[in-house]
Amino acid sequence: MDSVDTIVPSKKLAIGWFSFTCSEDSTILLTELLNDHWDEWKKVIEFRHLRSLKTQNSLKDLDVAFIEGAVSSEKQADEVREIRNNSKYVVAVGSCACTGLPSSSRNDFLSEEMNEKMKFYMNHFNYSDKVKKLADVIKVDDMVEGCPMNVEVFLTVVDKYLDIFKIK
Ligand code: SF4
């Protein structure tokens, strides 16, 4: 008879991890967490989209999408809408996604404070006038706040969705 440790569930939690305007510190934290949790997570989680660690990625039929970073252009807004349309749940990860800050601090600049270099970047990359938090663009089901994300809260949220999908 299999021990509890060797039983593999028939369904794994299909997770996507996405980064927008940010320093990607929560992605680095996730990578660090994999050092400790990979053996446990590989039995119950499928990392279906994780571009920082995989070359083959898909955002089709995700159970949970974790999104870090703020939304700073209409192109990014379209991308997060596409992720929302392909995900049962969306979790905002880190302060930039949850509140917009610190990435949205440029929203408070007066136009005369914008130097030529900033104007070049704004125009060249089609950035929006205002940087937005994730919930300004799509429905968000959960938030893992912190700059970078609070690890304890992140682990609790992962467990919550394993429970919701009856995987653990
Ligand atoms: S919330 Fe903080 S750590 Fe995370 S991307 Fe934004 S600035 Fe970086």
Side-chain angles (χ1 to χ4, degrees), residues 22-26 68 94-96 102 146-148:
C22 67
S23 55
E24 302 198 22
D25 295 53
S26 296
E68 76 167 336
S95 177
C96 290
C147 183

Side-chain angles (χ1 to χ4, degrees), residues 3-77:
S3 72
V4 172
D5 276 354
T6 59
I7 295 172
V8 178
S10 54
K11 171 177 168 53
K12 293 185 180 183
L13 190 69
I15 276 180
W17 182 277
F18 304 88
S19 296
F20 288 89
T21 299
C22 67
S23 55
E24 302 198 22
D25 295 53
S26 296
T27 299
I28 295 168
L29 266 183
L30 174 68
T31 309
E32 291 295 330
L33 286 170
L34 287 168
N35 287 326
D36 294 330
H37 293 272
W38 174 247
D39 284 344
E40 162 204 350
W41 284 350
K42 70 183 179 190
K43 296 174 194 151
V44 291
I45 294 174
E46 176 198 346
F47 292 92
R48 191 168 289 177
H49 194 292
L50 181 51
R51 200 170 270 163
S52 51
L53 298 181
K54 292 172 55 188
T55 50
Q56 303 265 333
N57 293 284
S58 167
L59 57 73
K60 202 167 181 301
D61 296 330
L62 297 174
D63 294 322
V64 190
F66 291 89
I67 301 180
E68 76 167 336
V71 180
S72 58
S73 69
E74 199 44 45
K75 179 171 177 288
Q76 290 186 4

